[in-house]
């Protein structure tokens, strides 16, 4: 096989993986993926000098020699103010309309996944670093573990990537993967995790990427952070669609809605769906969709004035563990 044929094989395998892990629409049976993957492994064994950074064989590397280093975020990872009821959502909308002197504001409404926040840095379209949120100003460099997650693209799916792109998102463990992981832990007489969020956190804290690679982790993008050499779209929602084209998983339940009522309707709808989702959510994040309006509104201390989280009632851990509903 020639060098170009190997490059085509890498592209083919990455296309299979994008379809399966990002779009949830597999285009080949697993056996085909495995056969092509093994073929790539044997070519790379024959020609190590041909190995590419975005080859799927490069997802599971060696342990970092000593722990995780601390890295400063280029742009802080901000926290969110909370709204606890519909009235405070209405107050949020009213405050914004007043500050903007606007009749009605369009919001981007996104499920708030119950996982860990992460910031990914791409240079010329290639993944160079993955950093945990930490205290918002700096976090731990867990790149070796991040690379093992199939829904994290090793290379952006575009020939004209931004010079620098930082993407923020959530790493989470779907409920089914969580149940299977705990069942296996019980079988092996090991510690079980209390909930998917803790299981995801524990999996990302592993020093050995080979352990993380065996954990069913998913990454969902929710924000463009720092960017260089690319004209950002005017709307946050359009920015997320662009991320999806570049190879990131975004949440298919996100919508744009008009005003406080649109946000309240979305809350009621999602609250009904919540128990049937394949992953845990702990609320909704509402964001002013127009970037120019976000910039006009700015931030209060470490939270944006233009975004707010609306939490669902805490899901009783006992309900989860015993499956008995304690809501009286
Ligand atoms: C809105 C934001 C706080 C992200 N945005 C930022 O972190 C952020 C950070 C600097 C920004 O601009 C600055 C640039 C320089 C200095 C200060 C701010 C803008 C946004 C946020 C936080 C958590 C989220 C979550 N769990 N789920 C979803 N779905 N969305 C979320 N969105």
């Amino acid at each position: 096989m020639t060098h170009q044929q190997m490059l085509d094989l890498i592209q083919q395998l990455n296309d299979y993986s994008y379809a399966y892990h990002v779009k949830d629409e597999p285009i080949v049976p697993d056996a085909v993926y495995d056969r092509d993957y093994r073929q790539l492994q044997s070519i790379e064994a024959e020609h190590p000098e041909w190995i590419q950074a975005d080859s799927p064989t490069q997802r599971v590397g060696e342990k970092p020699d000593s722990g995780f280093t601390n890295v400063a975020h280029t742009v802080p990872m901000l926290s969110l103010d909370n709204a606890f009821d519909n009235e405070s959502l209405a107050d949020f909308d009213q405050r914004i309309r007043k500050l903007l002197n606007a009749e009605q504001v369009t919001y981007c409404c996104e499920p708030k996944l119950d996982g860990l926040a992460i910031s990914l840095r791409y240079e010329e379209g290639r993944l160079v670093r993955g950093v945990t949120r930490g205290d918002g100003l700096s976090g731990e460099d867990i790149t070796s573990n991040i690379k093992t997650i199939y829904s994290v693209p090793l290379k952006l799916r575009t020939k004209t990537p931004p010079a620098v792109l930082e993407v923020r998102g959530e790493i989470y463990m779907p409920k089914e993967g969580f149940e299977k992981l705990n069942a296996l832990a019980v079988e092996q007489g090991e510690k079980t995790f209390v909930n998917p969020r803790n299981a995801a956190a524990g999996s990302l804290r592993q020093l050995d990427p080979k352990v993380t690679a065996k954990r069913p982790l998913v990454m969902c993008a929710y924000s463009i952070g720092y960017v260089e050499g690319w004209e950002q779209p005017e709307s946050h929602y359009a920015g997320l669609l662009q991320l999806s084209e570049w190879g990131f998983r975004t949440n298919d339940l996100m919508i744009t809605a008009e005003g406080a009522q649109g946000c309240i309707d979305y809350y009621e709808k999602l609250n009904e769906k919540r128990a049937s989702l394949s992953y845990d959510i702990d609320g909704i994040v509402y964001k002013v969709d127009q970037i120019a309006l976000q910039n006009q509104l700015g931030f209060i201390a470490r939270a944006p004035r233009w975004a707010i989280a609306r939490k669902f009632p805490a899901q009783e851990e006992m309900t989860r563990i015993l499956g008995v509903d304690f809501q009286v």
Side-chain angles (χ1 to χ4, degrees), residues 74-80 110-113 117 168 170 222-225 285 287 294 299 304 306-307:
T74 320
V75 151
M77 290 182 72
L78 301 175
S79 49
L80 288 164
E110 306 164 22
K112 189 170 180 298
L113 300 179
R168 271 84 199 268
E170 200 85 359
Y222 59 61
S223 176
I224 291 171
V285 182
K287 303 170 186 176
Q294 291 184 7
F299 312 89
W306 43 263

Side-chain angles (χ1 to χ4, degrees), residues 129-142:
R129 204 167 60 202
V131 184
T132 63
R133 182 182 184 286
D135 62 4
L137 298 175
S138 71
E140 290 183 311
D141 181 335
I142 56 165

